[in-house]
Amino acid sequence: MSLSSATDNRNFLVRNKSGNDIPGLKAKDIKHGNLDLVKKHGSLHEFLMWLHQQYGPIAKFWFGEQIVVSIASPQLFKETSRMFDRPEVLLSIFKPLVTEHAIPYANKGDGKWRRNTYDPCFSHESVMRCIEKFQTLAEELLEKWSQTPRDEHIPCRQEALLFTLKAITQTSLGDYFLDEEQITQFWKAYDVCWYDMEERLGGDIPKPGSERERKFNNANKYMKDTLAAAIDYRQKNPTTEKREMLIDVLIENNIPDDMLRGELMSFIVGGFHSSGNLLVWALHFISVYPVVQEKMYQEVKAVLGDTGKVTPVNIAKLVYTRQVMDETLRVAVVSPYAGRYDDEKDVTLGGYVIPTGTPIIHALGVVLNDPVWWPNPKKFDPDRFSPEKVSERHPYSFQPFGFAGKRKCPGYRFAYAEVATALANILLRFQVHEVKGQKVKAKYGLVTTPVDEAWITLTERTSNNSVK
Ligand code: HEM
């Protein structure tokens, strides 16, 4: 089918009052739409960067057979700020992992009920009660690193993801997940599934019965069986903790088994993959920018004082550390997009009428790189997040966790707290160095991760704060 007839046949109208159609692409092919261009640019995020450069802050394109509208400006974000429902188009590929019963696919009253029910598990108070656990995990990590021979490289991605996987499982699933070997096996199985799904997102679907499909299914089954065992264990060993823990809330609300596993998997995936990558990228950036690292170290030393521990009281004083995390979220674009739609009525955006049911992409990463809001956007500069600078910017110019319809990421406080605890502990004990000659390139998927392992080296600080 030719380019023009493909679009004409589907008679898609997104017009403003003067009758002009929304700018953007026509479908090149009826089945694949503009997916060839997505592939050519390397990822959906890189494609969106290009698309908005060509067509401005609102643009349409064909995601396979589905037309979508992408928006990339704080003003347009604000216009969608009450939309709750999420279209499936960007996430359907992940269904085999989290199942169709999971929260990312729940809309309307059902989705809102789930958010109201689960959100208290990640409230400020709940997260503060997790800090002791984060601190213990950070101490374990440092103990392990301190035994690494000097100058030996540390596999930063693996270590960071294992840290955040322990943090979310041990605080949300109870004490079933305490065994190091079990965590490592779970992580390896997850890695197999995640890489496969990212390939699927790029259009590369495994052949039925292939070795690749078999590997994926085995890894997926391993994770599902482990979660089923954790649920069974918790049901037989009820909690004595005061904190609202996700697994207990799900059990108390009689969530059916399939859905329960799906919800836990969604929170584990959200809870360790994106925050693990926040930690990886933060360590990478501070290894490349020693001046930032030194400033952060001085803050950590002053705030943590003699105890050397992060606590619910002192964590809020790690102000510069928070700036470093925010600048990392911005430069690395840890989570590049979100999406919304309205399947009951048309949506008016930027003067254009978008027909009922059309998926709208929030191109979060494009705005995080927009030179209008972030001069010299590739430069890593945590001072952009000084209180004065923040107050001068449009509040929707920095939305790395999404924003619309009270459906912002439920784990954002948890992510900041666990990563701040890890960073503060690491900096207090070590200087972090980049490995010379290493080029750490980003792979932009649903989460942005280094293409290969990101290696760092460490130098232990002595008690008088010079380095060994
Ligand atoms: C740096 C860390 C993180 C980033 C950048 C991030 C980013 C995001 C984004 C952009 C969304 C989509 C929001 C929207 O649709 O508007 C989201 C959703 C979600 N995140 Fe996170 N996230 C992070 C950490 C976490 C953590 C620690 C957890 C769990 C404790 C978590 C659990 C979830 C869940 C369950 C959803 C789906 C919520 C729903 O469907 O309503 N995330 N996250």
Side-chain angles (χ1 to χ4, degrees):
M1 166 110 3
S2 76
L3 184 152
S4 54
S5 55
T7 46
D8 292 350
N9 282 350
R10 281 177 281 175
N11 195 26
F12 181 77
L13 297 171
V14 272
R15 298 196 187 285
N16 64 11
K17 283 189 189 135
S18 335
N20 295 327
D21 199 1
I22 208 165
L25 299 171
K26 290 183 174 180
K28 189 171 171 201
D29 168 295
I30 194 136
K31 193 161 166 43
H32 299 107
N34 306 119
L35 285 177
D36 62 328
L37 277 175
V38 176
K39 206 167 181 174
K40 184 179 149 209
H41 285 276
S43 66
L44 183 57
H45 166 65
E46 287 155 304
F47 164 76
L48 293 175
M49 291 286 290
W50 170 83
L51 183 79
H52 287 289
Q53 218 166 40
Q54 300 294 313
Y55 297 103
I58 180 160
K60 65 179 185 193
F61 70 96
W62 293 86
F63 195 76
E65 294 179 47
Q66 171 72 64
I67 189 137
V68 296
V69 171
S70 177
I71 55 173
S73 83
Q75 293 84 348
L76 288 167
F77 282 178
K78 195 169 175 210
E79 289 180 39
T80 61
S81 65
R82 288 168 170 276
M83 295 177 78
F84 181 86
D85 291 345
R86 181 181 291 132
E88 267 196 33
V89 65
L90 297 174
L91 294 180
S92 56
I93 216 90
F94 297 96
K95 272 189 185 171
L97 183 66
V98 298
T99 81
E100 63 194 353
H101 313 291
I103 186 165
Y105 307 105
N107 282 329
K108 302 203 164 46
D110 174 31
K112 288 178 186 166
W113 179 85
R114 297 194 204 193
R115 287 301 299 255
N116 287 338
T117 310
Y118 312 157
D119 279 10
C121 303
F122 301 96
S123 65
H124 175 76
E125 293 71 27
S126 280
V127 169
M128 289 305 111
R129 291 198 195 105
C130 296
I131 287 190
E132 203 180 327
K133 172 63 79 183
F134 300 157
Q135 177 62 34
T136 307
L137 291 173
E139 284 169 17
E140 282 171 23
L141 180 71
L142 297 195
E143 192 45 39
K144 182 172 155 197
W145 285 3
S146 68
Q147 285 163 26
T148 310
R150 210 186 148 144
D151 295 334
E152 193 166 293
H153 304 332
I154 304 266
C156 185
R157 179 175 179 272
Q158 176 178 319
E159 295 289 294
L161 288 171
L162 280 174
F163 171 84
T164 51
L165 181 57
K166 284 180 195 167
I168 188 72
T169 50
Q170 293 183 13
T171 56
S172 295
L173 276 85
D175 44 11
Y176 180 78
F177 268 97
L178 294 178
D179 181 57
E180 184 81 24
E181 178 59 25
Q182 190 187 30
I183 286 278
T184 310
Q185 285 307 327
F186 194 90
W187 180 69
K188 282 187 181 157
Y190 175 82
D191 227 27
V192 168
C193 290
W194 187 266
Y195 272 107
D196 198 290
M197 285 181 309
E198 292 273 6
E199 297 298 307
R200 295 175 194 206
L201 197 61
D204 186 3
I205 310 291
K207 291 200 177 67
S210 62
E211 176 60 14
R212 186 180 143 198
E213 191 188 58
R214 194 190 59 76
K215 242 175 110 178
F216 175 87
N217 288 342
N218 284 347
N220 198 7
K221 180 171 180 318
Y222 175 82
M223 286 191 290
K224 292 212 164 97
D225 289 349
T226 310
L227 286 185
I231 296 162
D232 186 53
Y233 178 85
R234 191 68 173 178
Q235 279 165 334
K236 292 180 181 145
N237 301 276
T239 180
T240 51
E241 280 206 46
K242 291 194 191 72
R243 196 175 70 79
E244 293 201 60
M245 196 182 271
L246 185 66
I247 194 165
D248 299 329
V249 169
L250 293 166
I251 292 171
E252 278 157 22
N253 280 281
N254 298 317
I255 303 290
D257 277 1
D258 253 17
M259 185 171 144
L260 208 159
R261 280 199 301 273
E263 301 298 50
L264 287 180
M265 189 60 102
S266 304
F267 276 88
I268 291 175
V269 171
F272 98 97
H273 196 166
S274 4
S275 38
N277 277 294
L278 169 58
L279 181 53
V280 179
W281 288 113
L283 286 168
H284 168 66
F285 288 131
I286 61 172
S287 75
V288 176
Y289 293 86
V291 176
V292 171
Q293 184 174 164
E294 180 58 24
K295 192 167 169 187
M296 207 170 144
Y297 166 64
Q298 293 303 334
E299 173 181 87
V300 166
K301 197 164 56 130
V303 170
L304 269 54
D306 294 340
T307 66
K309 288 184 195 297
V310 176
T311 68
V313 176
N314 65 21
I315 193 163
K317 295 187 186 138
L318 294 171
V319 175
Y320 187 69
T321 304
R322 169 67 182 257
Q323 289 179 218
V324 170
M325 290 191 286
D326 282 343
E327 181 65 344
T328 302
L329 285 164
R330 190 194 71 75
V331 178
V333 193
V334 174
S335 192
Y337 40 76
R340 290 293 183 272
Y341 82 141
D342 191 323
D343 63 351
E344 287 171 1
K345 55 181 184 326
D346 293 350
V347 178
T348 304
L349 263 187
Y352 292 98
V353 177
I354 296 169
T356 315
T358 309
I360 298 166
I361 296 184
H362 288 149
L364 307 172
V366 177
V367 175
L368 295 176
N369 272 281
D370 187 342
V372 169
W373 306 102
W374 315 98
N376 197 0
K378 294 273 169 247
K379 186 170 174 230
F380 183 79
D381 176 11
D383 288 338
R384 297 180 201 266
F385 288 92
S386 68
E388 308 78 59
K389 292 264 173 62
V390 169
S391 67
E392 287 164 9
R393 264 191 311 264
H394 194 300
Y396 284 82
S397 59
F398 181 69
Q399 295 295 344
F401 295 97
F403 55 89
K406 300 191 179 149
R407 201 174 190 174
K408 175 178 178 169
C409 169
Y412 75 99
R413 297 185 195 88
F414 187 95
Y416 278 130
E418 62 179 327
V419 175
T421 307
L423 286 172
N425 276 278
I426 293 168
L427 283 207
L428 203 57
R429 180 118 172 225
F430 297 105
Q431 269 192 331
V432 183
H433 313 278
E434 61 176 325
V435 172
K436 291 280 172 243
Q438 177 185 223
K439 291 245 176 309
V440 179
K441 281 207 188 129
K443 181 175 161 64
Y444 300 95
L446 192 67
V447 175
T448 305
T449 191
V451 173
D452 301 309
E453 183 52 91
W455 299 93
I456 48 171
T457 51
L458 302 170
T459 326
E460 194 152 2
R461 295 178 195 272
T462 58
S463 50
N464 65 4
N465 296 324
S466 57
V467 287
K468 261 198 232 169

